[in-house]
């Protein structure tokens, strides 16, 4: 892709084996439908579990081989040899089990020089961006440049290796030792919290302790999960009275309980959401495109592909804005939107998907059509991919508001990026969904516990269904987008391109175009007449960019908020019916409307 004035001139295609039949990859390798993808995910999970059991002895043998290599040449009669071996087992065990490289772990620079993680962390200006061999398999691919050090990842330095499809290794200095003894619980908990803050692996999300996986998944920490995390943060010892010496142990349960009881005083980063692609601060228009935790917005960027990120123009030109529209609209150009308002809602949904984690609130989006198979769910899937959730989390339809509330809370706790209420029928209303869409946090009790959690609701919400209308308060909380293929059998049609596959393969390109349009809208002189109650920040950013695009003729779109007015026009509760009742009293006639 090139921005003007650059042009790309491709050579004519070269044809080999001209007599062979052409291969249509869309037919030969069709995209998995949601059920097939779910089966695929289950098979992968089962295969990993099976492989994990076989991997345990292999890992143990690898650790012992590395320990023997490190001790080679040292005095075999050294009284501290076994202690050194135990320390080395911990170092190599953390590397292979938790992708954690401690201070004593040796890295091999592309020049062949060996340097410890501690030395790298002590001199970030020198080692940031440098290339290394894979830490676990230095000979992998005979490539000494396969790993890249990022020492400026907002307090979470890491080494990313492209070996075996890619793996992130956290870099950390040697673990401290915490000794547990009776009567010192308060002091031990205080020390533990200090180590948690230094480690950077735990966050405070709505009054709940969570950790984030290398892939960007949020994992709430129950008592067992917190103990496991603390086992990696520190070495634990308790006094062995029989042997009269300090002996290693696991993190005691009472320490983990003490840490959990310190809610409000954890001093950990307050996490709003995790993003797996660059996004934008709605208040300032600042691009958030640096891997790591952004303290101003509470967003954690987890994206290993930022080396391919091209950035967002500081002041987009009109040519750059046109190119951005092409990037964002290409996957959706073949969908039969019925009006400019529907296209405006769709553009607003695309732009919202790029910045939803940064917005306190945002409206939901309903995709409806007159016939099944029109592409409603496909639109929701494509937008979920752009939002960073594939496949989207589907919330079953229920007439029990409490059931919907529990499901939304559960999904919010793990920071899902997109939820879909699929295959709705008739008139739709839901009290829990109304609260979910207009509240910055969703508060409820965790199932099986007495603790209240305040889950940020920074999630795209989609509804789909045939001939669906909104009812009551949902009319102003959900924007309706209509598509009509004009066919009784729309499921038979074929797209010239696979929209979902395009969004998956070129997500960063589409996100880049969306952020460019959002920034162009902020710098333009077009502002909405109103700020869309409950969604003010969204209106100032996403809606404004849609209006700016319409004003400059970049796309045939209209104000997406007009969909709210249309929803109220169709809502039977908001219709004012007129009837007449006539009567007479003392010679006067009365007509009541």
């Amino acid at each position: 892709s090139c921005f003007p004035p650059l042009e790309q001139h491709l050579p004519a295609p070269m044809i080999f084996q001209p007599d062979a039949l052409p291969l249509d990859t869309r037919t030969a390798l069709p995209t998995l439908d949601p059920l097939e993808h779910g089966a695929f995910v289950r098979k992968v999970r089962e295969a990993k579990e099976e492989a994990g059991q076989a991997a345990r002895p292999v890992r143990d043998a690898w650790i012992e081989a590395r320990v023997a290599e490190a001790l080679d040449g040292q005095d075999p009669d050294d009284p501290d040899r076994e202690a050194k071996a135990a320390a080395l087992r911990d170092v190599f065990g953390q590397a292979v089990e938790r992708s954690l490289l401690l201070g004593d772990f040796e890295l091999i620079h592309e020049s062949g020089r060996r340097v410890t993680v501690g030395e790298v962390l002590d001199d970030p200006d020198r080692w940031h961006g440098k290339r290394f061999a894979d830490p676990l398999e230095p000979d992998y691919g005979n490539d000494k440049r396969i790993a890249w050090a990022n020492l400026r990842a907002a307090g979470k330095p890491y080494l990313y290796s492209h070996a075996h499809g890619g793996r992130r290794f956290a870099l950390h200095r040697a673990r401290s030792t915490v000794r547990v003894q009776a009567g010192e619980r308060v002091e031990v908990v205080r020390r533990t919290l200090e180590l948690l803050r230094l480690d950077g692996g735990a966050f405070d999300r709505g009054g709940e302790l969570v950790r984030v996986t290398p892939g960007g998944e949020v994992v709430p920490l129950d008592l067992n999960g917190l103990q496991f995390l603390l086992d990696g943060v520190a070495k634990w010892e308790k006094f062995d009275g029989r042997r009269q010496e300090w002996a290693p142990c696991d993190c005691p349960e009472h320490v983990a309980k003490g840490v959990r009881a310190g809610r409000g005083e954890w001093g950990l980063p307050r996490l709003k959401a995790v993003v797996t692609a660059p996004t934008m601060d709605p208040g300032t228009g600042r691009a958030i495109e640096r891997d790591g935790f952004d303290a101003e917005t509470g967003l954690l960027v987890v994206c290993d592909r930022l080396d391919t990120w091209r950035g967002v123009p500081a002041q987009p030109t009109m040519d750059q804005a046109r190119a951005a529209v092409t990037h964002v609209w290409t996957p959706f150009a073949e969908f039969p939107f019925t009006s400019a308002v529907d296209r405006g809602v769709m553009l607003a949904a695309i732009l919202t998907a790029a910045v939803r984690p940064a917005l306190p609130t945002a409206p939901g989006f309903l995709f409806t059509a007159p016939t099944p198979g029109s592409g409603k769910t496909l639109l929701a899937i494509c937008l979920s991919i752009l939002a960073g959730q594939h496949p989207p989390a589907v919330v079953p339809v229920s007439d029990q508001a409490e059931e919907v509330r529990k499901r939304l809370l559960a999904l919010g706790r793990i920071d899902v990026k997109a939820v879909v209420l699929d295959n709705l029928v008739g008139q739709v209303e839901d009290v829990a969904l109304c609260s979910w869409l207009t509240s910055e946090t969703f508060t409820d009790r965790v199932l099986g516990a007495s603790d209240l959690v305040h889950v940020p609701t920074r999630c795209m919400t989609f509804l789909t269904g045939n001939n669906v209308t909104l009812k009551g308060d949902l009319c102003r909380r959900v924007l309706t987008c209509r598509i009509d293929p004009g066919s009784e059998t729309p499921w038979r049609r074929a797209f010239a391109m696979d929209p979902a596959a395009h969004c998956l393969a070129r997500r960063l390109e589409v996100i880049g175009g969306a952020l460019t349009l959002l920034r162009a809208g902020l710098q333009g002189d077009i502002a909405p007449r109103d700020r869309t109650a409950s969604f003010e920040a969204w209106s100032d950013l996403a809606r404004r960019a849609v209006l700016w695009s319409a004003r400059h003729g970049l796309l045939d779109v209209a104000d997406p908020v007009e969909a709210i007015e249309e929803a109220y026009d169709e809502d039977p509760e908001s219709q004012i019916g007129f009837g007449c009742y006539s009567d007479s009293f003392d010679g006067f006639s009365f007509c009541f409307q």
Side-chain angles (χ1 to χ4, degrees):
S1 299
C2 298
F3 290 118
L6 295 178
E7 295 180 357
Q8 185 179 31
H9 300 281
L10 296 174
M14 298 177 65
I15 300 176
F16 298 88
Q17 297 180 334
D19 296 332
L21 293 175
L23 174 66
D24 184 350
T25 56
R26 293 174 300 179
T27 302
L29 300 171
T31 301
L32 301 180
D33 62 33
L35 289 178
E36 292 171 331
H37 187 272
F40 165 74
V41 171
R42 286 194 299 274
K43 287 181 179 294
V44 170
R45 183 175 62 249
E46 292 168 359
K48 285 184 175 180
E49 291 173 354
E50 182 179 349
Q53 298 175 5
R56 178 72 265 174
V58 177
R59 288 179 177 176
D60 290 343
W62 179 89
I63 291 172
E64 291 303 320
R66 293 298 296 268
V67 170
E69 179 185 347
L71 294 177
D72 185 35
Q74 296 188 19
D75 183 3
D77 298 324
D78 183 355
D80 295 328
R81 184 180 179 88
E82 187 53 41
K84 292 178 180 178
L88 288 170
R89 287 189 189 95
D90 181 56
V91 169
F92 294 127
Q94 293 290 330
V96 72
E97 297 286 355
R98 300 182 63 230
S99 299
L100 177 64
L101 305 183
L102 298 177
D104 293 335
F105 193 96
E106 279 194 340
L107 301 174
I108 302 177
H109 184 248
E110 61 178 309
S111 65
R113 175 182 173 181
R114 291 178 177 267
V115 57
T116 67
V117 168
E119 291 177 274
V120 169
L121 294 176
D122 288 339
D123 196 356
D125 291 335
R126 177 178 182 181
W127 296 106
H128 174 71
K130 294 296 189 291
R131 295 277 179 174
F132 296 85
D134 182 77
L136 302 185
E137 299 180 69
D139 296 328
Y140 181 90
N142 196 29
D143 185 357
K144 301 299 183 184
R145 304 183 72 253
I146 202 168
W148 174 77
N150 184 353
L151 306 179
R152 299 196 176 114
K156 288 291 291 181
Y158 63 86
L159 185 78
Y160 184 82
S161 173
H162 292 275
H164 298 295
R167 185 176 181 183
R168 179 195 294 246
F169 295 87
L171 305 180
H172 201 286
R173 289 177 173 81
R175 292 187 298 166
S176 299
T177 298
V178 179
R179 290 181 168 177
V180 182
Q181 50 190 331
E184 296 293 332
R185 182 184 184 192
V186 172
E187 179 60 26
V188 170
V189 169
R190 183 195 64 78
R191 174 64 174 149
T192 302
L193 283 172
E194 289 179 354
L195 294 175
L196 265 182
R197 297 180 195 118
L198 290 173
D199 178 73
F203 297 88
D204 177 353
R205 188 167 187 267
E208 186 173 28
L209 282 171
V210 302
R211 66 177 179 87
V212 180
T213 69
E217 298 179 26
V218 172
V219 181
L221 294 173
D222 59 11
L223 188 62
N224 290 332
L226 179 57
Q227 283 180 270
F228 183 76
L229 178 69
L230 294 178
D231 282 337
V233 169
K235 296 179 182 179
W236 299 87
E237 292 183 350
K238 64 179 179 180
F239 192 74
D240 187 334
R242 188 181 62 178
R243 299 171 57 186
Q244 291 296 299
E245 64 181 23
W246 289 94
C249 66
D250 296 327
C251 173
E253 182 178 302
H254 71 270
V255 174
K257 287 182 176 179
V259 170
R260 285 167 62 88
R263 179 187 299 184
E265 299 178 0
W266 290 329
L268 298 171
R270 295 183 180 272
L271 178 67
K272 297 289 183 63
V274 175
V275 294
T276 53
T279 187
M280 181 177 288
D281 183 346
T284 63
R286 174 178 61 90
I288 303 171
E289 52 191 358
R290 187 173 177 177
D291 201 25
F293 184 71
D294 185 77
E296 293 182 36
T297 58
L299 301 181
L300 177 65
V301 181
V302 179
C303 184
D304 294 325
R305 298 173 58 191
L306 288 180
D307 54 344
T308 65
W309 174 246
R310 298 166 58 183
V312 183
Q315 295 182 325
T317 65
M318 195 56 67
D319 285 339
Q320 288 172 329
R322 292 191 184 94
V325 168
T326 299
H327 289 318
V328 302
W329 200 252
T330 293
F332 311 103
E334 295 184 73
F335 284 89
F337 302 105
T338 60
S339 70
V341 172
D342 298 305
R343 285 186 291 274
V345 172
M346 185 62 207
L347 180 58
I350 299 169
L351 300 180
T352 304
V355 294
R356 181 63 188 96
L359 294 169
T361 58
F365 296 89
L366 164 65
F367 298 104
T368 184
T371 55
S374 300
K376 308 175 296 297
T377 302
L378 180 57
L379 282 173
I381 290 174
C382 290
L383 289 166
S384 298
I385 291 171
L386 296 180
Q389 186 76 34
H390 180 63
V394 178
V395 177
V397 179
S398 174
D399 56 0
Q400 301 294 323
E402 187 61 27
E403 183 65 22
V404 175
R405 186 178 187 88
K406 289 178 181 178
R407 291 182 179 274
L408 290 175
L409 180 72
L411 293 173
R413 288 182 67 206
I414 59 175
D415 191 32
V416 295
K417 307 299 184 294
V419 298
V420 179
L421 283 79
D422 205 13
N423 295 322
L424 302 173
V425 293
Q427 297 175 350
V428 180
E429 64 175 339
D430 191 281
V431 174
L433 187 58
C434 285
S435 176
W436 172 263
L437 290 170
T438 53
S439 302
E440 292 188 37
T441 57
F442 198 69
T443 303
D444 207 342
R445 295 189 184 278
V446 179
L447 188 63
S450 59
D451 294 338
L452 277 176
V453 294
H454 310 277
V455 175
T457 57
R458 304 193 174 206
C459 166
M460 293 290 290
T461 306
F462 303 113
L463 298 81
T464 71
N466 297 317
N467 301 306
V468 173
T469 56
L470 302 172
K471 186 177 179 182
D473 288 340
L474 274 184
C475 290
R476 75 172 185 87
R477 290 169 164 85
V478 177
L479 304 180
T480 301
C481 176
R482 294 175 175 81
I483 55 175
D484 186 354
S487 168
E488 295 183 358
T489 57
W491 57 87
R492 293 179 176 271
R493 65 194 174 111
F495 289 94
M497 61 172 290
D498 185 331
H502 181 95
C503 290
L504 199 58
R506 302 191 176 184
R507 181 185 173 216
L508 284 185
E509 180 180 288
V510 179
I511 294 295
L515 297 183
T516 299
L517 271 185
L518 290 167
R519 182 166 280 177
L522 285 175
Q523 294 174 352
D525 56 356
I526 310 275
R529 299 186 307 272
D530 55 80
R531 299 188 67 209
T532 318
S534 301
F535 307 119
E536 290 82 0
W538 171 86
S539 182
D540 293 343
L541 186 65
R543 180 188 176 197
R544 178 171 180 152
V546 175
L547 297 177
W548 184 87
S549 300
R551 173 68 66 87
H552 292 282
L554 301 182
L555 199 63
D556 182 17
V557 293
D559 187 351
V561 171
E562 291 184 24
I564 296 178
E565 300 170 6
E566 295 178 0
Y568 273 121
D569 289 340
E570 296 180 357
D571 178 17
E573 288 189 357
S574 61
Q575 300 284 338
I576 301 177
F578 291 91
C580 186
Y581 168 72
S582 299
D583 204 344
S584 61
F585 179 74
D586 284 348
F588 293 93
S589 295
F590 299 89
C591 182
F592 301 93
Q593 283 192 331

